[in-house]
Amino acid sequence: MSEIFTKVKQLIEEIESASPNSKEELEQFRIQYLGSKNIIKPLFGEIKNVPNEQKKEYGQLVNKAKETAERKFAELQESLEGAAADGNAPDNYRDFDLTRPGEPLELGSRHPIATTLNRITGIFQRMGFTVAEGPEIEDDWHNFTAMNTPEDHPARDMQDTFYLLNSTEMLLRTHTSPVQARTMTAQKPPIRIIAPGRVYRNETISARSHAQFHQVEGLYVDEGVSFADMKQTLMYFAQEMFGTPKIRLRPSYFPFTEPSAEMDVWIGMDNEKNYRLSKGTGWLEILGCGMVDPAVLENCGIDSQKYTGFAFGMGIERQAMRLYDIHDIRLFFENDVRFLKQFAAVI
Ligand code: PHE
């Protein structure tokens, strides 16, 4: 009876050592060992001729033959396909179509806020400003106290500021002005920086206002810096950004500047869009500015007798809305690819 055992064992060896190297040879292998008339199948029937005490061993051996054939087939198939993909396969196995068009590679696009920020940053860099950064999670001192904001100022109110849970000290910065304090405490004049970044306010979200938005802060501190320097810098910015030096400075108030102003840029009223954006005035308000209050300089350890400076802070979203004709501020933060894709060509 050992004859049949030997036969099965030889078969297993034969399967193990098979090495088809074309698709056709592999198909031969499949038909021979796994097809509906494969040569392993009849071996199961032989069990009736095997003595009872050897039936179990025989059954296991034939099963092993079958399993070996299945495993070997899977391995061979994979290596042949792998080789084909590598371009190393025997010629008759390279049957994929090289002329088929490739999978398109989807390119992302820059976010319109990023593009606007980069443009603004570029304009000031060309005037000699360098980029400074600060954290979005700020402490009360940098956001308010150093910026000369009184303890009872409404901006500090919970209604306007997002405080971190259980904290009266840590908050989400409400403007980029704390970067002024961070820079002035770390650096001696001359200081000429811009600080782009994200800010947060506890606002009701609508088409025109959002609880998160972006600002670019500017700060110039040196001996003899004047209001005229500020005006000239901002006019140049308006020219570069909006194509016109026509600006308007309206008296305003900020705790950290004195005197303070708000700047509008002339966008005209010759079309419906500009009419709506400027609320029928032709002027688009884009920034707050002023001469750095001497108290702020002193808070940050800078001699206010020797140095003066100007600062400004501008909102980005409104400029991006005007630049790209976007009517709802919420679109910037939804990350809907149908919206974002429209800016694929914008650099
Ligand atoms: N921080 C002010 C704001 O958020 C803007 C500003 C910055 C005004 C610097 C004056 C000087 O509205």
Side-chain angles (χ1 to χ4, degrees), residues 199-262:
V199 302
Y200 303 83
R201 279 181 208 173
N202 197 352
E203 302 251 5
T204 313
I205 296 169
S206 73
R208 291 185 66 85
S209 71
H210 210 284
Q212 55 169 328
F213 54 100
H214 295 78
Q215 287 188 332
V216 174
E217 191 81 9
L219 174 69
Y220 182 20
V221 182
D222 202 351
E223 286 181 53
V225 174
S226 70
F227 197 94
D229 295 327
M230 179 177 85
K231 186 179 168 193
Q232 192 59 41
T233 305
L234 296 176
M235 270 169 76
Y236 178 79
F237 167 71
Q239 171 69 54
E240 293 292 293
M241 191 71 186
F242 296 94
T244 171
K246 190 167 171 181
I247 61 166
R248 176 168 87 167
L249 289 169
R250 280 179 292 106
S252 185
Y253 173 80
F254 299 102
F256 30 90
T257 44
E258 181 60 35
S260 304
E262 267 167 328

Side-chain angles (χ1 to χ4, degrees), residues 250-318:
R250 280 179 292 106
S252 185
Y253 173 80
F254 299 102
F256 30 90
T257 44
E258 181 60 35
S260 304
E262 267 167 328
M263 181 179 113
D264 304 334
V265 61
W266 178 252
I267 59 170
M269 286 189 288
D270 35 317
N271 58 45
E272 194 266 337
K273 182 183 95 187
N274 286 352
Y275 191 90
R276 184 166 26 75
L277 259 172
S278 67
K279 296 188 191 135
T281 65
W283 294 101
L284 186 70
E285 183 195 321
I286 54 165
L287 60 81
C289 58
M291 299 306 290
V292 180
D293 194 303
V296 175
L297 295 174
E298 295 296 336
N299 287 342
C300 299
I302 290 177
D303 183 353
S304 64
Q305 295 298 315
K306 188 167 174 203
Y307 295 107
T308 53
F310 68 75
F312 57 85
M314 62 177 87
I316 306 310
E317 275 73 7
R318 209 178 295 172

